[in-house]
Structure formats: C-alpha cells, structure tokens
Amino acid sequence: MSDLPQTLSTLVLDAASHALGPDIEVADAMLRPSNDPKFGDYQANLALPLAKQLKQKPRDLAERIAAALGDADGLLAKPAEVAGPGFINLTLADATLRHAATGLNLSGRLGVPADATARHVVVDYCGTNVAKEMLVWHLRSTIIGDALVRVLEALGHRVTRQNHLGDWGTQFGMLIEYLNDLDAPDRIEIGDLNAFYQQAKQKFDDDPDFVERARERVVALQQGHPATRARWRQLVEASVEHFNAVCDRLGVRLTPDDIRGESFYNDQLEPTVAALDAAGLLRQSEGAQVVYPDGFVNQDGEPLPMIVRKSDGGFLYATTDLAAARYRIDELKADRVIYVTDARQSPHFAMVFATLHAAGMAEDIRLEHVPFGTMLGKDRRPYKTRSGESIRLADVLDEAVRRADAAIAEKNPDLPPEVRQDVAEAVGIGAVKYADLSGDRVKDYVFDYDRMLSLEGNTAPYLLYSYARIRSIFRKGEIDFNDFCGDNVAVAEPAERALVLHLLRFGETVAAVGETLEPHRLCNYLYDLATRYHRFFEACPVLKADDAPTRDARLALCRLTARTLDTGLGLLGIRVVERM
C-alpha cells in the first residue's frame, strides 16, 4: 500500500468489472478525496460517466459496484456506500490508514513516485543578459525554473539545466567599442558595466561616427578578432561571476556549466535556416527569409511570418531559439524541453514550436512553454523604484533579509546573533521565493514585503514556523528527531485522521506538479498541511499524551509532518530552520 489511492482505484475498477461484466471497459475509477468527512475519506465517481455510456441510471450502477466492492478486503472501515446521484463513498479502516502512514514514515521518498516512464528533460530558465545586473524581474524565471527542476528530478527524470544567456548581438559591438574608447581596465565590476552600457547607448543614439564603428566592431566580434573576443570574454566572465553569486544566495542550482549562451549556437544558425529550406518551409518576404507556421495570422487575417534571416543577412532571436531546440533534441537527446519565460513571449514560442514540428525536427518531442505574469508594485504597475528605475535583485534580497532579521529579533530576542542571522537569511529569501511560487504563475502578482513576511496565511514564514514548532517539541522532550522512528502513527482522533489523509496525498501532489508545471499546487498542499497540523496540535497533546504509546504515535505523526514540510519546501528551493 505504498500508494493507497492507486490501491483503492484498482479495487474499485476490479469491482466494476465484476459487477458490470468484463466486456465493459472502465479505465478510471475517478477516485477523489472527499471534501467532507461525513462522506467518507474518498469518493469514486465512475458511475456517472458509465451511466451515459450504458444508458442506465448512475445510482443503480453505483450500487452494483459498491456491492461488489464491499469492504475492499478489509481496507475499508465499513462497506462502500452510495450517495447522491451515484457517488461511491469509501471510509478507510484505522488499520489501513495506520499501515499506510507508517510506511511513509519508514520511506525515504514520502510517497513521491519514481516515474516509470522517466525522461530526459531540458529546462531553459533564468535567461540573464551579459553586462547587466540581475534585476527583480529575473526572479520569476529563475525560481520557477529551479522549482520545476527539483520536482522533475525528485520524480526520477534526468534533467539538464540551461541558462540561455544573452551574450551575442549588436549591443556588444556597441559596448566593446565604448570600452575601447575609454581604454577601460581588464577587470570591470558588474555595477560599472551597468553605467557603461547606458553611456554607450547614449553615445550610439547621438554619434553617427560611433554607430559605424560599433557596427564594425560587431563584425570583428563575429569573425573572431582576438582583441575584440578578449574584451567580450571579459564582459561574460564579470557577468557570470555576478549571476553565480546571486543564484548561490537564492539557493538556485544553476552553475556556470549550465550556461548555453546565444553565442554557443552562432555556427548553427546557417545550418538551421538551410534545414528549414530543405523542409520546404522557407519563403522570401521583402528580402528577408521567413517561415509561415500554420494557424498564425495578423489582425487582417493574413498569414503571419516568423523572420529567421533579415534582408541584410543577420539572424534573429527566432533563429537562435530554433537552433537551440535542434541542439537539445539532436545532441542532448531530450524527450521534453521546457522554456520558462515571461507570458509575453507565448506567441513567439508557439510559432517556434509549430515550425519545429512542421519541419520534422521535433517528432515525438514534448515542447512546452511555461509562461508567467508580471511582478507588480502596490500601485498595480510593474515593480520599480519610485523614480521608475528597475530594481536590482540583490537589493530586494537584502531588504527581505533585513526585515526578517528585525521581526525575529523582536519575537525571539534570546536567539544568539549568529543563529538569528542564518534564520533571517533563510526566512527572508524563502519569503520572497514562496510569495512568487504560491500564486498561479500565469497571473500577475503584487510584491509586498509585509504580506510575504507575515506569520499568518499562505506564506513561507508560516510554513517555516510550523516546521520549527515541530522541532521544538522534540527538543523540549529531549528526543532525537533524526533517530526517532515510531513504528506506529496516530490515526484515532479526527484531527489525526485528517492530517494523515493529507500526508498520504504528498506523492500525487508532486507528480501533478511534474505534469502541469504549476508549483503553486505544491504550495497550496503545504499550506493545507501546516493548517491541519496546527489543528492537530491544538486538539491532541503530544508530550503530555495520556500514555506512552499515544505519545509515541503522535510524535511519529509530528515527525512525518516535519519531514514532508522539509521535503516539500526543499522542492521549492526553500531551506527550513529548526528555530525561529
């Protein structure tokens, strides 16, 4: 019974086959957790679609299936019952729940399934640009992508991380030429590059002679001119050092080895256009080479082109994305490729995917765009400084940690300074990440320090406090959390039962995130878990339980809850703390 819902589904399907005959094909028991305990622990709703298929009353079918199911070989506390138009209610026996929960407690996977059809998945996320600091709007792609990587790895998939670094193009000719004019030193800090880029852009806009020299510098860069390439590598190295520092602080698993910049695909652009031509997709439009993917039209209903080569011979982002996809499919042998970017790029990726399929470059490959909305300020506009400037991501993290430190100092003044600093770092950064991940990613959300750092509601501090509260029980009882492993888990009381039933759904929740690529499902699960735990804690004394067996059974339930919180938050890239 390592997967109790699956076991129940199989028993219901067997009962349906017995009751209705082997010729009736039933693929799904439609098993769902009950919303109300008075309707049992689970409901099987398969009678409703079967009624349409067999042209019979759903309640009659449900009663026949329920009669065949009985008490499911002792797994149920009482025989299956029929309610409403044809819902089959299942109430689990205490022994069934206890056995399943104890199995989770003894398991290292906590019910997370190892996907039988494990795949090689490439996840493209972060997408930073050379010569620019990471800004607050880089946060979403970076942490959503990191959470998906962690979930997919937990499900047994082989995951290749890719940071599609913006390190090529006209802007680098402009910046390199400007730095050469300044005779800039070999070592440049990322903060200086921000200013240099703005100054270079201003000069590019105002000085026609500089424009010509910048364009010549682009050609030199593309042709591999040694001094130009050396200056370009200087820009890349300074930027990567900065990205690495921010990602380390965020707890994101991206490393410099995961970088595949636009420059990496430079020599693959021409062959990619040639492959489109060989597939019969390339067309000419006003001197440019374009593709017309099926189903894409402009406002006038005319076919919408995707330009892959400009009239001057230059390539575009679409060409690079097509080349990158070919590399990931042909060289990395990916089965599934996931792109985590701003929702505004959805039309672009839809056209790229359609082109890859039309050209026969992505047969049997799962290509998915994971779009996300905009981070807003309290004024409901894109989150920026009061002066309208973009906000540095490092500054956001600093402010979150500072506020977390102040709150912890107020609530727990006896915490040693070095411990408080570590806790503030975990809580502050965890709060920023969780506030982003806990909402439906396709929607915009308001960035609000007060809300994200609150100890109430669906926030990281609330979940981290729940974990720390459990650890404090073990410290108070002088019980080693890691060595304790109760061979029995409490299920007798309603609050215990509700908590155990929710714990049993952890694996299916993680599997759902791996399929839908929606991290907020896991956040909602963890919030519900913490809420159910606090109800249990208030209703069921642990250390002051009536007897030792009850105490140990409740300690086992506490430990299982803490491990699930730790694992779930870890899948979101959030570090737990033992005290707050």
Side-chain angles (χ1 to χ4, degrees):
M1 289 193 303
S2 59
D3 186 345
L4 184 57
Q6 183 58 51
T7 300
L8 290 174
S9 290
T10 300
L11 289 170
V12 171
L13 291 175
D14 288 345
S17 179
H18 179 77
L20 307 179
D23 294 335
I24 305 301
E25 294 186 5
V26 186
D28 187 357
M30 298 186 67
L31 191 74
R32 305 288 185 269
S34 295
N35 294 324
D36 189 327
K38 70 181 181 183
F39 297 126
D41 300 320
Y42 286 91
Q43 286 185 334
N45 301 334
L46 73 167
L48 281 72
L50 279 174
K52 294 181 180 180
Q53 175 185 337
L54 301 178
K55 295 181 171 44
Q56 297 183 35
K57 293 181 179 180
R59 188 176 178 92
D60 292 345
L61 293 176
E63 288 176 346
R64 290 164 62 186
I65 296 170
L69 182 62
D71 70 353
D73 298 328
L75 291 182
L76 303 181
K78 56 185 178 181
E81 299 175 330
V82 177
F87 303 122
I88 303 174
N89 295 339
L90 311 174
T91 302
L92 297 171
D94 285 356
T96 301
L97 265 184
R98 186 178 296 112
H99 181 65
T102 301
L104 285 183
N105 223 4
L106 297 173
S107 166
R109 296 188 61 83
L110 296 173
V112 176
D115 198 314
T117 57
R119 295 287 185 263
H120 180 198
V121 186
V122 172
V123 183
D124 178 333
Y125 63 113
C126 192
T128 46
N129 294 308
V130 163
K132 296 181 180 179
E133 284 186 270
M134 289 186 75
L135 303 174
V136 69
W137 52 267
H138 287 114
L139 179 70
R140 302 215 68 187
S141 176
T142 303
I143 64 174
I144 292 171
D146 184 63
L148 296 180
V149 165
R150 290 169 182 267
V151 167
L152 291 166
E153 288 178 340
L155 292 168
H157 298 288
R158 181 164 68 93
V159 180
T160 296
R161 303 179 294 270
Q162 299 273 269
N163 182 357
H164 192 75
L165 190 67
D167 67 348
W168 204 248
T170 305
Q171 69 271 29
F172 291 101
M174 176 188 74
L175 183 55
I176 291 170
E177 187 64 23
Y178 184 76
L179 292 174
N180 287 345
D181 287 350
L182 293 179
D183 195 21
D186 292 339
R187 173 72 180 178
I188 301 178
E189 299 297 331
I190 189 70
D192 296 329
L193 280 176
N194 280 341
F196 286 147
Y197 185 88
Q198 293 172 2
Q199 294 162 13
K201 182 64 170 63
Q202 186 64 49
K203 190 169 185 179
F204 189 88
D205 292 340
D206 298 340
D207 186 345
D209 177 65
F210 179 75
V211 171
E212 184 61 30
R213 289 190 288 116
R215 288 173 175 165
E216 291 173 357
R217 186 63 62 183
V218 172
V219 175
L221 176 63
Q222 294 171 340
Q223 294 179 346
H225 180 260
T228 303
R229 282 290 177 94
R231 179 68 83 179
W232 172 77
R233 282 192 294 271
Q234 173 193 357
L235 301 178
V236 173
E237 289 168 3
S239 302
V240 170
E241 183 178 343
H242 165 70
F243 303 153
N244 201 40
V246 176
C247 286
D248 282 348
R249 193 175 185 196
L250 278 170
V252 170
R253 291 183 176 178
L254 277 173
T255 71
D257 291 338
D258 300 320
I259 290 175
R260 285 293 179 272
E262 294 171 345
S263 61
F264 179 83
Y265 305 105
N266 194 47
D267 60 356
Q268 301 173 46
L269 302 181
E270 186 77 53
T272 296
V273 174
L276 294 174
D277 193 18
L281 299 179
L282 211 59
R283 301 287 184 271
Q284 298 291 325
S285 176
E286 298 180 4
Q289 293 177 310
V290 305
V291 173
Y292 290 97
D294 287 344
F296 295 87
V297 295
N298 61 21
Q299 293 179 343
D300 297 324
E302 300 169 339
L304 187 66
M306 183 173 71
I307 303 174
V308 295
R309 193 167 198 171
K310 297 185 292 185
S311 58
D312 63 4
F315 300 103
L316 292 98
Y317 288 121
T319 328
T320 303
D321 282 332
L322 289 166
R326 292 182 72 211
Y327 172 80
R328 293 161 181 175
I329 294 167
D330 297 339
E331 301 299 325
L332 297 182
K333 306 299 182 185
D335 303 298
R336 185 181 185 186
V337 186
I338 296 168
Y339 298 79
V340 186
T341 75
D342 190 300
R344 290 171 293 185
Q345 295 190 45
S346 293
H348 164 75
F349 280 106
M351 295 184 79
V352 168
F353 296 166
T355 299
L356 289 166
H357 286 301
M361 298 175 181
E363 296 180 1
D364 301 321
I365 302 298
R366 191 170 170 182
L367 300 170
E368 295 170 272
H369 181 222
V370 176
F372 54 82
T374 302
M375 184 187 299
L376 306 175
K378 291 183 179 180
D379 60 359
R380 308 294 300 184
R381 296 179 179 178
Y383 187 47
K384 295 183 178 181
T385 65
R386 291 183 179 179
S387 61
E389 296 177 354
S390 297
I391 300 174
R392 297 167 65 245
L393 180 52
D395 291 341
V396 168
L397 301 182
D398 286 343
E399 179 64 12
V401 171
R402 185 193 68 77
R403 291 182 181 226
D405 183 70
I408 293 166
E410 179 182 351
K411 293 182 179 299
N412 192 355
D414 296 331
L415 206 61
E418 64 278 6
V419 175
R420 193 182 79 198
Q421 182 179 3
D422 180 67
V423 172
E425 188 79 10
V427 172
I429 291 177
V432 170
K433 296 174 76 170
Y434 190 87
D436 190 302
L437 295 169
S438 60
D440 187 340
R441 57 171 165 74
V442 300
K443 297 180 179 179
D444 299 343
Y445 83 97
V446 175
F447 190 93
D448 182 349
Y449 285 113
D450 293 335
R451 184 186 63 81
M452 67 178 58
L453 286 164
S454 174
L455 274 172
E456 298 178 356
N458 189 9
T459 67
Y462 176 70
L463 298 182
L464 293 173
Y465 168 73
S466 302
Y467 177 85
R469 189 177 195 180
I470 296 173
R471 295 302 297 259
S472 71
I473 293 173
F474 282 80
R475 285 196 302 273
K476 185 176 180 180
E478 298 182 346
I479 303 163
D480 190 302
F481 178 87
N482 295 317
D483 287 344
F484 181 86
C485 188
D487 57 3
N488 193 10
V489 175
V491 300
E493 297 295 328
E496 296 168 344
R497 187 180 189 87
L499 181 55
V500 168
L501 283 166
H502 195 67
L503 285 163
L504 291 172
R505 298 184 60 195
F506 180 60
E508 68 183 66
T509 301
V510 175
V513 175
E515 181 62 27
T516 64
L517 307 179
E518 295 175 338
H520 76 276
R521 291 172 178 253
L522 179 54
C523 296
N524 290 340
Y525 170 89
L526 294 174
Y527 175 59
D528 287 344
L529 176 61
T531 301
R532 289 171 190 250
Y533 173 77
H534 287 292
R535 291 173 185 160
F536 152 76
F537 184 80
E538 295 299 324
C540 304
V542 179
L543 295 179
K544 294 182 179 181
D546 293 338
D547 51 64
T550 301
R551 186 200 75 151
D552 288 349
R554 288 175 179 171
L555 281 170
L557 183 51
C558 288
R559 185 174 183 272
L560 179 56
T561 302
R563 289 178 59 214
T564 305
L565 285 169
D566 185 6
T567 302
L569 287 168
L571 293 176
L572 298 172
I574 296 173
R575 177 169 61 92
V576 296
V577 291
E578 294 186 16
R579 60 184 69 195
M580 285 176 63

